[in-house]
Amino acid sequence: METDCSTRHATAAETAAPAPLPSGTRLLHIGPHKTGTTSIQGALFAAKEAMAEHGVAFPAHSRHPMEAALAVCARPGMMGDTRPTEGHWQRLLDAVHAAKKQTSVISSEFFADAPDDETIARVVDDLGRDRVHVLVTLRPLAKIMPSQWQQYVQNGLRMGYEDWLDHMLRKAPYEKPNPSFWRRHRHDRLVERWTRVVGAENVTVVVVDDRDRGGLMRTFESLLGLPDGLLSEVPDTANRSLTLAETEMLRKLNMEFRGNGLPDELYSKLVRNGAVMHMKNTCRPTADDPRITTPTWALEAAAGIGGEMAERIGTMGVRILGDPALLSAVPSPGQDDPEPEAARIDPEVAAQALYGALVVAAEAPPASPARPATRTVHQTSSKELVRVLGHRVLKRLKGS
């Protein structure tokens, strides 16, 4: 596919607004995770009708076509959720092809989880190889790591933050307990994998500058040929990050949950989509809530890896927008943030989380009156499991 710009190196990264991609391009934004994906997906979905007036289609049927990306990449999804099927991917493809000669934009950070070149080639071929342009958004690892850790906790992780950092940065092969982390966030290898398939001339890397809140929106507007200001951030409480105290509460619940051998499906229903979702929607963090703080040694290690990645990406011939030096900057550590063990959950937050689980349990079908005298956890009703779990978690919280 022809592009309007020749290839660039990191030493000549662009800071001005990029020229629009050719009309009819299928812009594939692959994330990775925690690089502004939620914000841009919300903005694109909200502006779907307005973009259509300018010849740009957003073919996904929801803000984030997660199931479609998981299906084509053969990934299982979140713990306890129903595994996506080929039907999810085909539905997205049908909508993409229905856009015909219009420019299209598809965004999911789960495309970054594609396991090999064969899977990437399938994604590109299904979308139309001669029309695909891949967009990768990058942020410094020091900004990604705390956010990614709390996201893993929302999917059942029981490991504390500093222990997790030790495994990710110090303990080869750096794959436990989350092998997906470096597949997503060894950014030079991520860019290299997709470049091998689509060619350097069809890859754009955007280094996100957190100091410029609207910068990523403007970049998408420029690449898609949209008017300035068409895309704007849409608040989404359901996708906010957890505070340190909330994450620690959930981590302790995970220890109880997994330690008692409860089924993953119950976790998905009662914890992630019940307790956590209700807590996010009803509790608003304040400036006084302790942040997840990364120790200095990990900040320096992350910055060193970021520098290596930026240097390698700069040799690949892809177009780079933004300042690659941001990827190797060492941020100042928090001065007065408490250790995770010192975080205390507000009783109101704990109550809202427990209430969310109870609401979901109350909506479950009633248990059969015929019940064996001895039951496994799989044979126990959701309501009874919530009562037991709630009692144990509140007891733990009172003693912490």
Side-chain angles (χ1 to χ4, degrees):
M1 182 181 72
E2 295 182 358
T3 63
D4 292 344
C5 302
S6 59
T7 57
R8 272 77 167 174
H9 293 297
T11 53
E14 299 178 23
T15 56
L21 293 165
S23 178
T25 295
R26 287 171 180 162
L27 181 62
L28 179 64
H29 177 213
I30 66 169
H33 297 65
K34 307 304 177 183
T35 60
T37 52
T38 296
S39 293
I40 199 65
Q41 288 157 3
L44 290 168
F45 187 62
K48 185 173 182 175
E49 293 184 5
M51 291 194 303
E53 296 176 2
H54 298 277
V56 178
F58 184 74
H61 295 84
S62 63
R63 176 191 63 80
H64 177 199
M66 178 177 68
E67 291 85 358
L70 288 170
V72 72
C73 293
R75 309 303 295 168
M78 301 291 278
M79 185 180 81
D81 286 356
T82 302
R83 192 181 186 99
T85 68
E86 280 289 312
H88 290 99
W89 175 237
Q90 189 59 53
R91 185 185 185 198
L92 178 62
L93 285 179
D94 290 344
V96 169
H97 295 307
K100 298 181 180 178
K101 295 184 179 180
Q102 284 185 309
T103 296
S104 301
V105 54
I106 305 103
S107 175
S108 175
E109 55 269 39
F110 286 98
F111 286 118
D113 288 350
D116 49 39
D117 289 11
E118 182 180 1
T119 302
I120 294 172
R122 186 204 165 177
V123 171
V124 173
D125 288 338
D126 284 357
L127 290 172
R129 180 178 289 266
D130 61 334
R131 295 174 61 178
V132 169
H133 189 96
V134 175
L135 178 65
V136 187
T137 45
L138 301 182
R139 293 176 72 228
L141 281 175
K143 300 287 184 69
I144 289 173
M145 297 191 87
S147 186
Q148 186 72 89
W149 171 71
Q150 63 85 33
Q151 190 65 52
Y152 282 130
V153 171
Q154 292 185 55
N155 198 36
L157 180 68
R158 292 168 283 178
M159 186 176 288
Y161 186 44
E162 290 214 30
D163 195 13
W164 181 81
L165 288 171
D166 197 48
H167 279 73
M168 292 296 102
L169 295 168
R170 286 174 166 170
K171 295 185 177 180
Y174 316 107
E175 293 181 347
K176 295 180 179 180
N178 301 116
S180 63
F181 182 80
W182 288 117
R183 170 151 290 275
R184 297 168 177 174
H185 297 300
R186 185 71 206 201
H187 299 147
D188 51 345
R189 295 173 189 163
L190 174 65
V191 173
E192 184 178 45
R193 287 196 297 273
W194 285 81
T195 298
R196 279 200 302 265
V197 175
V198 302
E201 69 278 9
N202 293 316
V203 176
T204 294
V205 174
V206 178
V207 181
V208 179
D209 188 343
D210 289 342
R211 298 167 298 183
D212 183 3
R213 288 189 62 84
L216 186 57
M217 303 291 177
R218 294 195 299 272
T219 298
F220 268 80
E221 288 169 348
S222 297
L223 289 171
L224 295 170
L226 297 172
D228 292 345
L230 185 67
L231 299 179
S232 58
E233 191 168 350
V234 179
D236 188 357
T237 56
N239 280 285
R240 73 167 175 86
S241 293
L242 300 181
T243 66
L244 173 60
E246 290 170 339
T247 308
E248 281 298 302
M249 180 191 72
L250 179 57
R251 188 173 70 85
K252 291 178 181 179
L253 174 58
N254 291 346
M255 294 169 70
E256 288 288 319
F257 200 100
R258 303 300 290 274
N260 283 280
L262 301 178
D264 291 350
E265 294 79 5
L266 195 64
Y267 185 91
S268 172
K269 182 176 183 179
L270 299 185
V271 180
R272 186 171 55 250
N273 294 312
V276 175
M277 188 64 69
H278 188 75
M279 182 174 66
K280 285 182 176 183
N281 285 328
T282 57
C283 302
R284 301 290 182 268
T286 69
D288 295 328
D289 286 309
R291 298 179 297 113
I292 299 171
T293 305
T294 305
T296 301
W297 72 265
L299 294 176
E300 293 174 347
I305 296 170
E308 294 174 8
M309 295 191 299
E311 185 175 356
R312 282 202 69 221
I313 293 171
T315 67
M316 295 179 189
V318 301
R319 175 168 60 172
I320 300 174
L321 306 177
D323 184 4
L326 293 173
L327 301 178
S328 59
V330 182
S332 300
Q335 297 300 314
D336 301 312
D337 295 301
E339 295 296 320
E341 291 75 11
R344 292 294 181 267
I345 191 73
D346 188 318
E348 174 68 19
V349 175
Q352 292 294 346
L354 185 55
Y355 177 75
L358 290 169
V359 168
V360 173
E363 295 173 349
S368 171
R371 182 176 294 167
T374 303
R375 295 166 292 152
T376 68
V377 292
H378 296 269
Q379 296 170 315
T380 305
S381 71
S382 295
K383 290 183 181 180
E384 189 170 346
L385 285 170
V386 168
R387 179 180 61 77
V388 174
L389 281 173
H391 174 75
R392 290 177 178 175
V393 172
L394 288 177
K395 185 177 179 180
R396 277 283 187 105
L397 290 171
K398 288 177 181 177
S400 62

